[in-house]
Amino acid sequence: MNVDVINLKGKKVGTAELPPEIFEAPVRRDLMHQAFVRQMANARLGTHKTKTRSEVRGGGRKPWRQKGTGRARHGSIRSAQWVGGGKVHTPRPNDHSKKMPRKMRRAALRSALSARVAGEDLLVVEGLQETEPKTKQMAAVMETLAGENSVLLLVPDKSESYVKVAKSAGNLATTKVLHASYLNVRDLLGYDKIVVPVEALEVIRSYLG
């Protein structure tokens, strides 16, 4: 599959070949859904916790003797019915992470990329690293390329030129910068347009090819 390569003014300057095994893969909605659910579950901290009667402060002795006072028997002022006592049946630390085989994860990424290419939402750009490190200029470039749409910008590496691009684009409210090797289903499906520098295609090819 060949796609147009455009410059920063939105004009065609050439073509790029997209590997069919990555960008023309079968679109598996079930795999994309599973990968998305896994990613969201793995992002949960699961650190919610309350203290039981064995963990709260105080209550080291029996508040009063067992018999003869006319009051109910108690063994500790830190049991659940006392003010300041421990809690019962409340949240405990929990691991919400889900497992998914690597082949299935990568198949989900290929499906997402193929779906975005089929919808003409993937833009291959040349010369992005030559822009000045200014947010105003980057905003103008993104408006030229994607209009008012939200943008996922994939950068190929952490070289000095692309670090400047990442800093400029990172200040834009509707643009997210992501390293090409950190592709994930949530970001691929969560933005209106995906802007890919020509150099980032090789990173995607080496990662998913």
Side-chain angles (χ1 to χ4, degrees):
M1 172 187 289
N2 291 326
V3 295
D4 295 340
V5 177
I6 58 179
N7 59 17
L8 302 184
K9 295 182 179 180
K11 296 182 179 180
K12 178 180 176 181
V13 293
T15 59
E17 183 179 356
L18 300 181
E21 66 274 12
I22 300 176
F23 295 94
E24 294 183 69
V27 178
R28 295 282 304 276
R29 293 180 178 271
D30 55 335
L31 285 181
M32 289 191 290
H33 177 265
Q34 185 176 345
F36 179 82
V37 171
R38 171 185 175 272
Q39 183 177 349
M40 298 300 292
N42 290 356
R44 296 181 65 180
L45 295 179
T47 54
H48 47 330
K49 180 184 182 299
T50 56
K51 293 184 178 181
T52 63
R53 59 181 293 175
S54 65
E55 297 169 318
V56 294
R57 184 185 178 96
R61 66 179 178 84
K62 189 174 176 67
W64 51 75
R65 60 193 177 95
Q66 181 84 350
K67 295 180 178 293
T69 65
R71 290 183 290 184
R73 56 194 177 188
H74 288 290
S76 171
I77 62 171
R78 289 298 174 252
S79 53
Q81 67 267 33
W82 288 74
V83 174
K87 305 300 179 183
V88 181
H89 306 310
T90 51
R92 308 297 291 173
N94 188 20
D95 181 13
H96 298 282
S97 63
K98 297 178 180 293
K99 294 183 178 180
M100 186 176 180
R102 180 186 298 176
K103 287 185 177 180
M104 294 175 65
R105 297 199 305 267
R106 297 195 172 179
L109 289 176
R110 296 187 191 101
S111 293
L113 286 170
S114 300
R116 299 315 301 268
V117 170
E120 298 182 353
D121 296 322
L122 188 139
L123 308 174
V124 181
V125 182
E126 184 179 76
L128 191 62
Q129 73 278 17
E130 299 173 1
T131 57
E132 296 183 22
K134 294 182 179 180
T135 302
K136 184 176 182 179
Q137 183 173 348
M138 184 59 66
V141 170
M142 290 301 161
E143 184 176 357
T144 300
L145 297 178
E148 299 296 327
N149 296 308
S150 60
V151 175
L152 176 64
L153 173 59
L154 301 180
V155 295
D157 51 44
K158 296 181 180 180
S159 61
E160 183 179 355
S161 58
Y162 277 109
V163 167
K164 293 178 180 179
V165 169
K167 287 183 178 180
S168 301
N171 292 328
L172 305 177
T174 58
T175 300
K176 178 175 181 178
V177 182
L178 185 69
H179 196 280
S181 60
Y182 297 160
L183 278 178
N184 60 84
V185 171
R186 178 186 178 184
D187 287 331
L188 284 176
L189 300 180
Y191 291 84
D192 299 326
K193 298 292 181 181
I194 302 174
V195 175
V196 185
V198 177
E199 298 84 359
L201 291 177
E202 185 59 36
V203 178
I204 297 175
R205 182 183 292 108
S206 63
Y207 178 51
L208 295 176

